[in-house]
Amino acid sequence: DRSLKIAPSILSADFANFGAECCAIEAQGCDWVHVDVMDGHFVPNITFGPAMVQAIRPHVKTIMDVHLMIAPADPYLEAFAKAGADILTIHPEAGPHMDRSLQLIRSLGCKAGVALNPATPESVIEYVLDTIDLVLVMSVNPGFGGQSFIPSAVEKVRRVRAMIGDRPIHIQVDGGVTAKTAPLVVEAGADALVAGSAVFKGGSVATPEVYGDNMRGI
Ligand code: DX5
Ligand code: ZN
């Protein structure tokens, strides 16, 4: 299914009202909820862990798309799977055994994703194309919302699209996705878009008007 999926990132949501924010973006028709997990080690920021995934799980009827910006990831995969994650995306830059981590994710019953930082070449996924369900092309250096889009991500999306051929693998783009940059990556072959500040700008999205206006742009 290559229909465009919109995955608002709750990193830009109201941290005091995650449940309400998840309900609000789903009520406005988002396809996935993007959950940015940060450990203050792999990235220079700390957000939340499995307990938060578990807490918002009852409020997310669609897909919980968990982006693990943590190193190492392996020791926590089971906890995130048990907490209710549908997709678990890891960074190859965070550990030495990507194939083993991806096999573990699938054995836990989750979809397996690989996130590529801006400087990481797409060749990194060459030997795991049959072990992944999603490639996340980072268009910012991970750690924060509200950063500017890194244009080289467009060409990387195009090359990943060529690499995966007709395999059922989503190409997701994450970082600085706005009404201006979204068309560039969709044209290059992306079928899933993460948007944090573009969705939640102007504070909480819990008002349909705010979400509606912001999303119409994307
Ligand atoms: C950054 C996160 C992104 C971020 C996107 O490390 O992985 O998902 O929340 O935020 P925007 O859309 O504001 O760039
Ligand atoms: Zn993310």
Side-chain angles (χ1 to χ4, degrees), residues 3-39:
S3 63
L4 187 60
K5 306 281 182 285
I6 302 291
S9 161
I10 60 170
L11 181 67
S12 300
D14 176 357
F15 268 50
N17 290 293
F18 274 135
E21 297 279 62
C22 288
C23 291
I25 55 179
E26 287 203 330
Q28 295 303 317
C30 76
D31 301 289
W32 303 349
V33 174
H34 188 76
V35 180
D36 282 313
V37 177
M38 300 182 184
D39 65 357

Side-chain angles (χ1 to χ4, degrees), residues 34 36 67 69 136 138 174 194:
H34 188 76
D36 282 313
H67 178 190
M69 289 161 276
L136 171 49
M138 293 303 294
D174 185 4
V194 176

Side-chain angles (χ1 to χ4, degrees), residues 125-144:
I125 62 172
E126 203 163 345
Y127 294 95
V128 293
L129 289 174
D130 295 319
T131 323
I132 57 176
D133 305 289
L134 177 140
V135 178
L136 171 49
V137 176
M138 293 303 294
S139 34
V140 293
N141 289 298
F144 302 93

